[in-house]
Amino acid sequence: MKDKTILSKNDNKALKAGIWYTISSVTVKAITILTTPIFTRMMTTSDYGLATTFTSWYSLLMIFCSLNLTYSIGRAKLDFPGKLDEYVGSMQCLSFFTTVAICVVAIPFVKPLASFMEINAPLMFILMVYLLFHPAINFTQSKYRYSYHYKGNIGITAYTTITSIVVTFGLMLIF
């Protein structure tokens, strides 16, 4: 009888988390859809192309810098019960040091790499900083997701979404 109660509580927790993750995901996509026309009207065609190029390179390089270790967290929860925090911390460190190594190798070649990537050198440095710190957010969100801590995950999502929009609007108005 106790096992059914525990299973029922876990099922309810998973269902509740799933519903809130869905609402959060739909909300973020809706915000993206609503802000895209505003951004495209504020930007020139070349600026929008540069932003798209930056985003594409970020997505590609994130695979190498983070080693896609966030996908291992679900399995780690099963393999290392009670040690998920330590596992996530180790994966964050590995990802961070991998990115540092890639950046150290890339820094002497910033200008040729920036030319190849069709972005300017300052944007290359911004990309490196973004690649250094953004995986920590992904790891934390994955840990929350597999621990059913949907409130923390939604909080991070809301904060990053709102901050990104505000900072982007602010920088576009300044520059």
Side-chain angles (χ1 to χ4, degrees), residues 34-168:
L34 292 173
T35 57
T36 298
I38 297 168
F39 288 137
T40 56
R41 290 182 198 276
M42 292 176 72
M43 300 167 83
T44 65
T45 305
S46 63
D47 289 341
Y48 186 74
L50 183 62
T52 304
T53 301
F54 180 90
T55 304
S56 297
W57 279 112
Y58 164 76
S59 299
L60 179 67
L61 293 173
M62 182 59 89
I63 295 167
F64 297 103
C65 292
S66 71
L67 304 173
N68 269 346
L69 293 170
T70 54
Y71 293 108
S72 70
I73 293 173
R75 183 66 202 179
K77 183 181 177 192
L78 299 173
D79 290 346
F80 308 110
K83 295 184 177 183
L84 188 61
D85 287 339
E86 291 88 353
Y87 180 82
V88 170
S90 297
M91 294 304 100
Q92 283 182 336
C93 287
L94 179 59
S95 173
F96 182 80
F97 290 125
T98 302
T99 306
V100 167
I102 290 170
C103 289
V104 165
V105 170
I107 286 174
F109 307 103
V110 165
K111 289 191 183 208
L113 282 172
S115 176
F116 170 75
M117 295 168 70
E118 297 181 1
I119 60 176
N120 55 35
L123 272 180
M124 188 74 177
F125 286 110
I126 292 170
L127 179 62
M128 287 180 194
V129 170
Y130 201 48
L131 289 168
L132 274 171
F133 296 106
H134 198 260
I137 295 169
N138 293 340
F139 281 114
T140 303
Q141 285 188 296
S142 290
K143 180 182 81 168
Y144 285 167
R145 189 174 298 120
Y146 288 108
S147 301
Y148 304 126
H149 293 203
Y150 63 91
K151 290 179 184 176
N153 197 349
I154 291 171
I156 292 171
T157 301
Y159 176 77
T160 56
T161 302
I162 292 168
T163 303
S164 296
I165 291 169
V166 169
V167 168
T168 302

